Amino acid sequence: MSKAKTPPRRPAAIPEEKGADLPEAWRRRPWIPVLITGIVVAAVLASGLAVDEALKAPRPAALDGCKTSTQIAPYRFTGPQPICITAAHKYQATINTTQGQVVIQLYPEIAPVTVNNFIVLALDGYYNGMRWKTEDWVVQNGDPTGDGRGGPGYTLPEEPNTEPSWGIGAVGMARPPGLPINGSQFFIERAAWPGNGPTAIYNRFGTVIKGIEKVGLLTAPADRINSITIQVG
């Protein structure tokens, strides 16, 4: 006697998932979720801008008017930075490095264009994150390309002076042999200048007054500038 064939089992039906249970007000006004999404996106973008501004150096009230020249690309500008410093103030720069703080007394009375240019770039965060290049007697920074030839897209005029003299702690602007003064690369002496000293104009614009021992610790490529703050007196 043959057995009745058992009909094949069909897979159990998977219940359809219900959509998200939206509030009744949202179902009546479908533009509300779009509006909320837009608000969230705007908040995220605004927070990003806020973080970017926070990474820039604090700006003393006396330097509120300092603005860069027109920026045409990352780290590139149309020309030297507009003058915003005055003879009525004294200026110091605190370079926050990975080895500690280095404080520089700036000399606007003998190199006003160079000091102004350095201050405006520092306030704009230009130097933040840049790595040092080092030799036994000098450390140098301000090259956005990292190959020793980079700059902000312009050069600086010569500002010759005989005082103060060059020596340990002296701060000047870099220049390739036979070429103009770089618009952003600066150097600090940490030992005596080789030979008979400088044979060209390097726009001496400051002196380290605190932290020269930190300058002695800087190595390449490990160390970098975290930020630069400007103090006005």
Side-chain angles (χ1 to χ4, degrees):
M1 183 174 180
S2 61
K3 294 183 179 179
K5 293 184 178 180
T6 304
R9 292 186 178 181
R10 295 181 179 179
I14 300 175
E16 295 183 2
E17 292 185 4
K18 293 183 178 180
D21 189 13
L22 297 176
E24 181 64 26
W26 287 23
R27 286 197 292 268
R28 291 199 304 267
R29 299 179 179 86
W31 50 266
I32 291 180
V34 176
L35 176 62
I36 292 175
T37 301
I39 293 173
V40 171
V41 170
V44 170
L45 292 175
S47 65
L49 292 174
V51 169
D52 182 62
E53 289 299 317
L55 291 175
K56 293 184 179 180
R59 185 181 296 266
L63 299 176
D64 277 344
C66 291
K67 307 294 182 185
T68 65
S69 56
T70 302
Q71 187 167 0
I72 55 177
Y75 301 104
R76 304 282 288 183
F77 301 87
T78 54
Q81 306 309 324
I83 296 293
C84 63
I85 63 173
T86 68
H89 294 293
K90 295 185 180 299
Y91 302 91
Q92 289 183 358
T94 299
I95 304 179
N96 301 296
T97 80
T98 44
Q99 291 291 349
Q101 290 188 338
V102 178
V103 181
I104 299 172
Q105 182 67 53
L106 302 174
Y107 298 143
E109 66 277 12
I110 60 175
V113 174
T114 304
V115 169
N116 181 86
N117 184 77
F118 180 81
I119 286 175
V120 174
L121 290 179
L123 291 174
D124 193 56
Y126 183 91
Y127 295 104
N128 295 358
M130 288 191 184
R131 297 189 180 277
W132 294 92
K133 293 185 177 297
T134 63
E135 295 184 24
D136 290 342
W137 68 279
V138 70
V139 298
Q140 187 166 312
N141 209 311
D143 176 11
T145 66
D147 63 7
R149 296 187 294 271
Y154 59 85
T155 58
L156 294 177
E158 292 185 351
E159 293 186 289
N161 55 75
T162 57
E163 293 294 335
S165 60
W166 292 93
I168 295 175
V171 184
M173 297 301 293
R175 70 182 305 175
L179 295 177
I181 296 170
N182 190 281
S184 61
Q185 291 195 48
F186 68 96
F187 64 87
I188 304 173
E189 274 192 79
R190 60 179 179 181
W193 197 301
N196 296 321
T199 57
I201 296 170
Y202 293 93
N203 287 14
R204 172 76 190 277
F205 72 98
T207 297
V208 174
I209 59 173
K210 183 180 179 182
I212 191 63
E213 73 281 1
K214 306 299 184 184
V215 176
L217 296 175
L218 294 171
T219 60
D223 289 311
R224 64 184 183 276
I225 291 175
N226 292 327
S227 64
I228 300 178
T229 57
I230 305 297
Q231 296 79 42
V232 181

